[in-house]
C-alpha cells in the first residue's frame, strides 16, 4: 500500500524535474493548473493536495472544447489524495464510506469507483520524492518506518543560474534528483449544491517486489522511465488495455530506515527523511550513490547552491541503506540515503529559528 509520501521540492524545481518531449519530439515543461494549491511537504497524507501529472487534453475538453489539443502535452495539477467518485451524492467528500487512497490493480476493473474514471482515460502520474512504508517488528507492536525511492544516478551540473531560460538547457539544470512516478487514476466531483469541481486521485498498488516484501506485501505501481510515463498519460493514443500492461512491480527501488517522527502526519520537517541506523551506531564509508543524494539535498535547487557551505569528504559521511533492514534475509543493497545527512544539517543551520516547524 501507499499511505504517506514526501514531495518537498519548490514549485519551479518540481516543474524542471518534469521536463519531457511531446509527440513532435519538442522539449517542453509542463504547465501548472491551480499552482497556489501546491504545498511542498516532507510528510503528505491522504486528503491533502499532492502534485500529479496528467494529459493537458483532459482540461482542454472541459474548458476549451473547440481547441485541438495534443494528448501528449502535460500539465501538473495539485489534487486531493483519496479519489471522490463523480457519482458521489453527499455534499461532503469526507463522508465517503470507503477508503480510496489506494486502488488494487487486481480489482481495478471490478470496482465502479475506479473502473468508470479509468474507462474515461483519467490516468495520472503521482509525483513524489519517495513514499514511506512501515514494517511490523516481530514480537512487538512497534513498526519501523522506511523511506522508499528511485536509485539516483550522478550527472554533470550546469553551474549556470540562468540555464532554465532556454529548452536546450532544461536537462542541464535538472541533473540531480529523479522523482518517483506512481501510476494513479483521478476523477472530477461536482458538489450537488454547486461549487468548484474537486479533482482527486488514487494510487494504484501491486504486489511488492522481492526487495520490499519484508517491509510490506503491497507497493505503488511505479512507472519506471519516460516511455512508461508517456504511455500511461497519453490516453488519446494508448488504450486502457495497453496502459494496464504497465502496471506491475519493479525492483529498481532503494530505501532506508527513518525515525518515528514521520508517524505523526503533522510533523512536516526534514527529520521525516533523515536516515537512522538500525544497528549499532558506527560510521561506514559512504557509497558514491549516498554522496549523490547528499549533494542534491544540500543544494535544494540548482539556483540555491551555497558555495560557502563546506561539503563533507566522502569518507566522513556515514551510510544508511537497505542493508540495515531488520530481521531480513535480503541481500545487501546499497542505498542513496547518506546524502540526507549533510542536507539536513544545512537545513537546520540556514533556517531562522522563529520559522522552524514544530517537531516532537
Amino acid at each position: 500500500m501507499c499511505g504517506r509520501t514526501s514531495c518537498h521540492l519548490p514549485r519551479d524545481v518540481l516543474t524542471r524535474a518534469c521536463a519531457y518531449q511531446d509527440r513532435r519530439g519538442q522539449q517542453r515543461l509542463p504547465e501548472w493548473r491551480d499552482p497556489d494549491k501546491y504545498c511542498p511537504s516532507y510528510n503528505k497524507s491522504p486528503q491533502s493536495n499532492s502534485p500529479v501529472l496528467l494529459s493537458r487534453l483532459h482540461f482542454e475538453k472541459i474548458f476549451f472544447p473547440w481547441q485541438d489539443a495534443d494528448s501528449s502535452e502535460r500539465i501538473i495539477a495539485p489534487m486531493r489524495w483519496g479519489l471522490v467518485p463523480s457519482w458521489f451524492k453527499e455534499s461532503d467528500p469526507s463522508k465517503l464510506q470507503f477508503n480510496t487512497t489506494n486502488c488494487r490493480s487486481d480489482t481495478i476493473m471490478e470496482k465502479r469507483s475506479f473502473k468508470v474514471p479509468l474507462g474515461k482515460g483519467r490516468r495520472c502520474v503521482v509525483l513524489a520524492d519517495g513514499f514511506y512504508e512501515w514494517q511490523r517488528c516481530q514480537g512487538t507492536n512497534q513498526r519501523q518506518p522506511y523511506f522508499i525511492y528511485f536509485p539516483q544516478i550522478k550527472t554533470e551540473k550546469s553551474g549556470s543560474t540562468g540555464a532554465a531560460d532556454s529548452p536546450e538547457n532544461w536537462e542541464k539544470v535538472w541533473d540531480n534528483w529523479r522523482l518517483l512516478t506512481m501510476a494513479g487514476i483521478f476523477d472530477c466531483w461536482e458538489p450537488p449544491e454547486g461549487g468548484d469541481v474537486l479533482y482527486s486521485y488514487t494510487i494504484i498498488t501491486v504486489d511488492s517486489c522481492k526487495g520490499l516484501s519484508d517491509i510490506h506485501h503491497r507497493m505503488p505501481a511505479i512507472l519506471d522511465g519516460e516511455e512508461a510515463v508517456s504511455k500511461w498519460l497519453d490516453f488519446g493514443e494508448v488504450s486502457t488495455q495497453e496502459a494496464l500492461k504497465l502496471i506491475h512491480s519493479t525492483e529498481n527501488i532503494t530505501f532506508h530506515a527513518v525515525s518515528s517522527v514521520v508517524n505523526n502526519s503533522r510533523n512536516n520537517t526534514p527529520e521525516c527523511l533523515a536516515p537512522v541506523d538500525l544497528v549499532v551506531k558506527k560510521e561506514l564509508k559512504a557509497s558514491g550513490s549516498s554522496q549523490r543524494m547528499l549533494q542534491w539535498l544540500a543544494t535544494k535547487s540548482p539556483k540555491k547552491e551555497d558555495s560557502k557551505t563546506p561539503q563533507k569528504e566522502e569518507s566522513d559521511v556515514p551510510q544508511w541503506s537497505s542493508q540495515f533492514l531488520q530481521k531480513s534475509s535480503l541481500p545487501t543493497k546499497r542505498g542513496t540515503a547518506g546524502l540526507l545527512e549533510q542536507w539536513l544539517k544545512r537545513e537546520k543551520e540556514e533556517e531562522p529559528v522563529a520559522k522552524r516547524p514544530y517537531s516532537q
Side-chain angles (χ1 to χ4, degrees), residues 135-144 326-327:
Q135 178 199 39
R136 293 191 179 276
C137 300
Q138 296 180 10
T140 71
N141 293 325
Q142 297 180 343
R143 297 192 302 165
Q144 172 60 51
Q326 286 186 319
K327 295 180 176 65

Side-chain angles (χ1 to χ4, degrees), residues 46-310:
Q47 298 189 23
S48 66
N49 283 336
S50 296
V52 304
L53 272 177
L54 65 157
S55 169
R56 183 177 179 177
L57 187 56
H58 288 295
F59 290 104
E60 298 294 340
K61 279 185 173 181
I62 297 173
F63 300 107
F64 308 101
W66 60 87
Q67 293 188 4
D68 185 18
D70 183 347
S71 59
S72 71
E73 295 179 13
R74 304 175 188 178
I75 63 171
I76 303 178
M79 292 189 185
R80 178 189 187 271
W81 186 3
L83 187 144
V84 180
S86 57
W87 46 262
F88 184 61
K89 300 302 182 183
E90 296 282 351
S91 58
D92 183 0
S94 65
K95 293 182 179 180
L96 192 65
Q97 295 297 308
F98 46 92
N99 189 339
T100 57
T101 300
N102 294 156
C103 163
R104 291 181 62 99
S105 60
D106 51 343
T107 59
I108 195 170
M109 299 303 291
E110 299 174 7
K111 297 186 177 180
R112 181 185 175 196
S113 300
F114 307 132
K115 181 180 179 179
V116 172
L118 183 62
K120 295 179 180 179
R122 291 177 174 173
R123 309 192 297 253
C124 64
V125 174
V126 183
L127 302 171
D129 310 321
F131 70 98
Y132 300 98
E133 194 54 85
W134 282 258
Q135 178 199 39
R136 293 191 179 276
C137 300
Q138 296 180 10
T140 71
N141 293 325
Q142 297 180 343
R143 297 192 302 165
Q144 172 60 51
Y146 288 86
F147 184 58
I148 304 166
Y149 49 99
F150 270 138
Q152 304 301 309
I153 299 173
K154 184 178 181 180
T155 57
E156 298 264 339
K157 290 186 179 180
S158 67
S160 172
T161 56
D165 296 338
S166 56
E168 61 269 19
N169 287 323
W170 290 338
E171 238 177 79
K172 295 180 181 178
V173 171
W174 187 254
D175 55 13
N176 294 293
W177 188 256
R178 183 185 177 193
L179 290 173
L180 195 67
T181 44
M182 299 174 283
I185 302 169
F186 75 95
D187 209 348
C188 314
W189 173 78
E190 297 185 36
E193 300 175 355
D196 294 336
V197 174
L198 175 66
Y199 290 87
S200 58
Y201 72 90
T202 184
I203 296 176
I204 301 174
T205 63
V206 295
D207 290 334
S208 280
C209 63
K210 182 179 179 182
L212 294 180
S213 59
D214 276 18
I215 297 178
H216 200 278
H217 65 283
R218 302 291 293 178
M219 68 180 291
I222 296 171
L223 299 166
D224 189 0
E226 173 58 25
E227 182 180 358
V229 169
S230 179
K231 287 183 176 180
W232 182 253
L233 291 179
D234 195 352
F235 71 99
E237 294 292 326
V238 182
S239 68
T240 299
Q241 185 177 5
E242 285 299 309
L244 288 176
K245 294 178 182 179
L246 301 167
I247 304 302
H248 51 75
S249 62
T250 176
E251 293 287 349
N252 186 29
I253 209 76
T254 191
F255 54 90
H256 63 258
V258 295
S259 79
S260 58
V261 168
V262 74
N263 292 0
N264 189 334
S265 61
R266 290 175 294 180
N267 292 335
N268 177 20
T269 67
E271 284 78 7
C272 293
L273 292 175
V276 296
D277 193 341
L278 298 184
V279 292
V280 180
K281 290 183 179 180
K282 67 177 182 177
E283 293 192 356
L284 301 175
K285 182 176 179 180
S287 66
S289 195
S290 298
Q291 284 290 326
R292 288 191 287 278
M293 189 173 183
L294 262 175
Q295 290 163 1
W296 170 73
L297 290 171
T299 61
K300 289 173 285 186
S301 83
K303 294 186 177 181
K304 296 183 179 181
E305 287 193 10
D306 183 2
S307 59
K308 297 181 180 179
T309 304

